Amino acid sequence: GAVVSQHPSWVICKSGTSVKIECRSLDFQATTMFWYRQFPKQSLMLMATSNEGSKATYEQGVEKDKFLINHASLTLSTLTVTSAHPEDSSFYICSAGDRAGGAFFGQGTRLTVV
Amino acid sequence: QQQVKQSPQSLIVQKGGISIINCAYENTAFDYFPWYQQFPGKGPALLIAIRPDVSEKKEGRFTISFNKSAKQFSLHIMDSQPGDSATYFCAASMSAGANNLFFGTGTRLTVIP
């Protein structure tokens, strides 16, 4: 299947700082990528849909000014958690779909805000 | 509102046994039903997926059974192995691919030797 690479796999940051997470489709082009958040032992919650060359579409309740998404190319989307606080600590996962169908997920990023 | 309902929440199966996880949905516009396997600290990995035009799909030890009239689908893991111990998520979307997947709540499977 297609490969989606997410970096970093884990990050610890101080409260008030910003953190950038990258999501790359390695062997296919993805016009749309998705960002999810997952709390321990819970399901994935869609945060936003990232569209190449245009603004992201955010799900209800997700602060777009806090979670900045940029989809600069067909193979790269970034999520920046701005002014992070301890309650933003979570597991963030991106996904992308190739032309053949099927959604492929990155390996996830464990964010811990201290 | 949970668009896709999944049960059981946890499941313990003996090695060699059959693991069965069930999902149900309401939205008849869904036309793509994938199953994902997730190990701790990792992203979900696509296991197997089905479209509503077939009632069953098998890939190795993994089988999806689909009942369109009942709006239910299930994952069967035959000859379950300790390495299958993971969390399994069913999902549904209105088209194949990554488009707006609605996930079930997950099933934590433990296969005991």
Side-chain angles (χ1 to χ4, degrees), chain A residues 45-74:
Chain A
M45 298 301 296
L46 180 65
M47 296 175 65
T49 302
S50 170
N51 303 298
E52 188 266 336
S54 64
K55 290 183 179 180
T57 303
Y58 290 82
E59 294 299 303
Q60 192 173 15
V62 178
E63 298 176 60
K64 61 180 181 181
D65 294 330
K66 180 165 192 61
F67 299 100
L68 299 180
I69 292 173
N70 183 270
H71 196 147
S73 74
L74 287 171

Side-chain angles (χ1 to χ4, degrees), chain A residues 2 16 41 46 76 89 108-109 111:
Chain A
K41 299 183 180 180
L46 180 65
L76 174 64
S89 299
T109 298
L111 170 64

Side-chain angles (χ1 to χ4, degrees), chain A residues 32 34 36 38 41-44 46 59 91 93 95-97 101-108 110, chain B residues 2 9 32 36 38 41-46 89 96-106 108:
Chain A
T32 305
F34 300 82
Y36 294 82
Q38 186 179 32
K41 299 183 180 180
Q42 293 190 23
S43 190
L44 286 77
L46 180 65
E59 294 299 303
F91 194 54
I93 312 171
S95 76
F104 300 94
F105 286 81
Q107 52 267 62
R110 170 75 57 196
Chain B
Q2 190 70 32
Q9 190 174 16
Y32 177 70
Y36 289 88
Q38 185 179 30
K42 303 293 184 183
L46 179 64
F89 292 97
N99 293 326
N100 207 10
L101 281 168
F102 293 89
F103 281 89
T105 47
R108 176 167 283 194

Side-chain angles (χ1 to χ4, degrees), chain A:
Chain A
V3 178
V4 175
S5 177
Q6 191 172 337
H7 178 80
S9 56
W10 60 271
V11 58
I12 301 173
C13 72
K14 289 186 176 181
S15 186
T17 61
S18 296
V19 173
K20 180 185 284 189
I21 303 169
E22 292 188 348
C23 181
R24 295 180 184 272
S25 55
L26 296 187
D27 50 1
F28 67 100
Q29 294 182 331
T31 54
T32 305
M33 291 185 177
F34 300 82
W35 287 95
Y36 294 82
R37 184 173 181 175
Q38 186 179 32
F39 290 104
K41 299 183 180 180
Q42 293 190 23
S43 190
L44 286 77
M45 298 301 296
L46 180 65
M47 296 175 65
T49 302
S50 170
N51 303 298
E52 188 266 336
S54 64
K55 290 183 179 180
T57 303
Y58 290 82
E59 294 299 303
Q60 192 173 15
V62 178
E63 298 176 60
K64 61 180 181 181
D65 294 330
K66 180 165 192 61
F67 299 100
L68 299 180
I69 292 173
N70 183 270
H71 196 147
S73 74
L74 287 171
T75 60
L76 174 64
S77 176
T78 61
L79 168 68
T80 301
V81 183
T82 63
S83 186
H85 288 94
E87 58 265 30
D88 299 324
S89 299
S90 189
F91 194 54
Y92 294 88
I93 312 171
C94 68
S95 76
D98 65 5
R99 297 183 192 280
F104 300 94
F105 286 81
Q107 52 267 62
T109 298
R110 170 75 57 196
L111 170 64
T112 302
V113 185
V114 297

